[in-house]
Amino acid sequence: MTDTTDLNDMKAMLQVPLGNQIGRVHRLWRSAITAAVQSLDMTEARWTAMLHLQLLGEGATQQALAQELGIEMPSLSRTLGQLVELDMLERRPHPTDKRAHCLYFTPAGQQTLTKLIERTMQIRQALYRDLTPAAVQQLMQALDLMERNARALLVTTAAEDNL
Amino acid sequence: MTDTTDLNDMKAMLQVPLGNQIGRVHRLWRSAITAAVQSLDMTEARWTAMLHLQLLGEGATQQALAQELGIEMPSLSRTLGQLVELDMLERRPHPTDKRAHCLYFTPAGQQTLTKLIERTMQIRQALYRDLTPAAVQQLMQALDLMERNARALLVTTAAEDNL
DNA sequence: ACCAAATACTTAGCTTGCTAACTAAATAAA
DNA sequence: TTTATTTAGTTAGCAAGCTAAGTATTTGGT
């Protein structure tokens, strides 16, 4: 492979609507999981919040969970309200900071969580079909790079707006 | 690398919320482009539709464009209505099928399209920073596989529901 | 000690994906 | 040919992301 080939590849790449492909995969992914857990009263936002609270550990604040999920507080706040309403989660006062809430699973939430983990792992396995661990690894690294690039870009744009 | 390592890798993979990472990248990607074209009266759905109509070629039906975008007709229908309202697109009757509409850019739409292409290519370039063409290629292939896996999964689930 | 700025969270309202339910036209079956 | 099914498109309303704006604490500067 020569440099010229690389340059041509690069040009071709810029034409491809990869962003849209990413969006499509994202929607399909979430639909697949939601279909698998529909009996649990879980929507996309709900099971996502449940699973990530588990990753982060009980007692996390809403702010911490929002960061983990990469979404804004208002989006999460609404979903957490629903999960509290459904008796899946509890918001307990933060021991030192009166503004903050810490999140805990209720007993019912624990049960649901167990099923969620089980089923989502099955789905993930199906989604990774014919992909080698190395390929998945590379995929994650590439996405990570693009995520950082996008954040950097947004910061630049925001700064320009403030001139 | 032994089979055992692969198996462990696989198990570890299943724990990682890759779906969420994909969603995050998708949102950041769209935000980055939208920020770059905000002066053109373009929202995410609008510039996406414009660019893909260009890829598909003028005269495409709404159905064809929806398929290209991987979204449902109602989602597209709304956006196209806005673009017609903004004098970017025209819906002309299909020559033989009276149900269908064919999509064409207006002169104003053509102008906007040119700017859109220019700016989105710049953004894509920035997003691909530090990624080799080969890495992008692999990324697209991996996403493609996952997309097919997800579709297969949804078909299976839908069939089960109809028992 | 006190007032300004930042932070945790909520509420309100927009955008854009979706499904469900409808109309009108085209196609297939009887 | 006439009727049933499929297809192109729309409208209505839900889900979940977002920003903007408000409240209540906390932190920081003077």
Side-chain angles (χ1 to χ4, degrees):
Chain A
M1 262 220 219
T2 68
D3 268 7
T4 320
T5 314
D6 264 27
L7 252 175
N8 287 337
D9 287 355
M10 190 69 80
K11 276 186 190 166
M13 256 164 52
L14 294 175
Q15 311 274 0
V16 175
L18 176 55
N20 224 247
Q21 194 185 5
I22 293 178
R24 233 164 29 237
V25 171
H26 180 224
R27 288 194 298 275
L28 286 164
W29 186 298
R30 302 194 85 175
S31 299
I33 295 193
T34 301
V37 302
Q38 68 183 141
S39 59
L40 302 174
D41 239 338
M42 287 287 126
T43 62
E44 301 178 0
R46 289 181 203 156
W47 56 255
T48 307
M50 293 283 284
L51 289 173
H52 282 259
L53 176 56
Q54 204 258 340
L55 284 178
L56 212 56
E58 280 188 298
T61 63
Q62 300 190 187
Q63 182 59 52
L65 184 53
Q67 187 121 32
E68 159 77 18
L69 289 167
I71 64 176
E72 300 300 319
M73 282 284 287
S75 310
L76 181 59
S77 195
R78 188 208 295 133
T79 303
L80 291 177
Q82 296 167 358
L83 287 169
V84 168
E85 203 60 39
L86 288 166
D87 189 35
M88 296 285 128
L89 297 182
E90 261 186 319
R91 285 195 252 233
R92 298 192 203 151
H94 190 282
T96 64
D97 188 335
K98 283 181 198 160
R99 295 168 304 177
H101 293 149
C102 299
L103 300 167
Y104 292 86
F105 294 107
T106 61
Q110 282 284 3
Q111 285 200 325
T112 301
L113 178 63
T114 305
K115 290 182 200 155
L116 277 179
I117 291 172
E118 195 181 301
R119 300 192 195 174
T120 53
M121 280 184 61
Q122 281 172 2
I123 300 293
R124 274 204 269 259
Q125 205 152 25
L127 290 173
Y128 291 162
R129 214 182 103 102
D130 298 333
L131 282 164
T132 62
V136 176
Q137 204 63 38
Q138 280 169 348
L139 175 65
M140 290 195 280
Q141 281 168 8
L143 287 172
D144 206 61
L145 248 176
M146 290 201 308
E147 185 174 340
R148 269 202 294 269
N149 288 341
R151 283 190 202 284
L153 204 54
L154 282 168
V155 169
T156 313
T157 317
E160 277 168 13
D161 286 353
N162 290 337
L163 289 183
Chain B
M1 263 227 218
T2 69
D3 268 7
T4 320
T5 313
D6 264 27
L7 252 175
N8 288 336
D9 286 356
M10 190 69 80
K11 277 186 189 167
M13 257 164 51
L14 294 174
Q15 312 275 358
V16 176
L18 176 55
N20 224 247
Q21 194 186 5
I22 293 177
R24 233 164 29 237
V25 172
H26 179 225
R27 288 194 297 275
L28 286 164
W29 186 298
R30 301 196 87 176
S31 300
I33 295 195
T34 301
V37 302
Q38 68 182 139
S39 59
L40 302 173
D41 240 336
M42 287 288 126
T43 63
E44 300 178 1
R46 290 182 203 156
W47 55 255
T48 307
M50 294 282 285
L51 289 173
H52 282 259
L53 176 56
Q54 205 258 339
L55 284 178
L56 213 56
E58 280 188 297
T61 63
Q62 299 192 190
Q63 182 58 52
L65 184 54
Q67 187 120 31
E68 157 79 18
L69 288 167
I71 65 176
E72 300 299 320
M73 283 283 288
S75 310
L76 180 59
S77 196
R78 190 208 294 133
T79 303
L80 291 177
Q82 296 167 357
L83 287 169
V84 168
E85 202 59 40
L86 287 166
D87 189 35
M88 296 285 127
L89 297 183
E90 260 187 319
R91 285 195 252 233
R92 298 192 202 152
H94 189 281
T96 65
D97 188 336
K98 285 181 195 159
R99 295 168 303 177
H101 294 150
C102 298
L103 300 167
Y104 292 86
F105 293 107
T106 62
Q110 282 284 3
Q111 285 201 326
T112 301
L113 178 61
T114 306
K115 289 182 200 155
L116 277 179
I117 292 172
E118 195 181 303
R119 299 193 196 174
T120 52
M121 280 185 60
Q122 282 172 2
I123 299 293
R124 274 204 268 259
Q125 205 153 25
L127 290 173
Y128 291 162
R129 215 182 103 103
D130 299 334
L131 282 163
T132 63
V136 176
Q137 204 64 38
Q138 281 169 348
L139 175 65
M140 290 195 281
Q141 280 167 9
L143 287 173
D144 205 62
L145 249 176
M146 291 202 306
E147 186 174 338
R148 270 202 293 268
N149 288 341
R151 283 191 202 283
L153 204 55
L154 282 168
V155 170
T156 312
T157 316
E160 277 168 13
D161 286 351
N162 289 337
L163 289 184

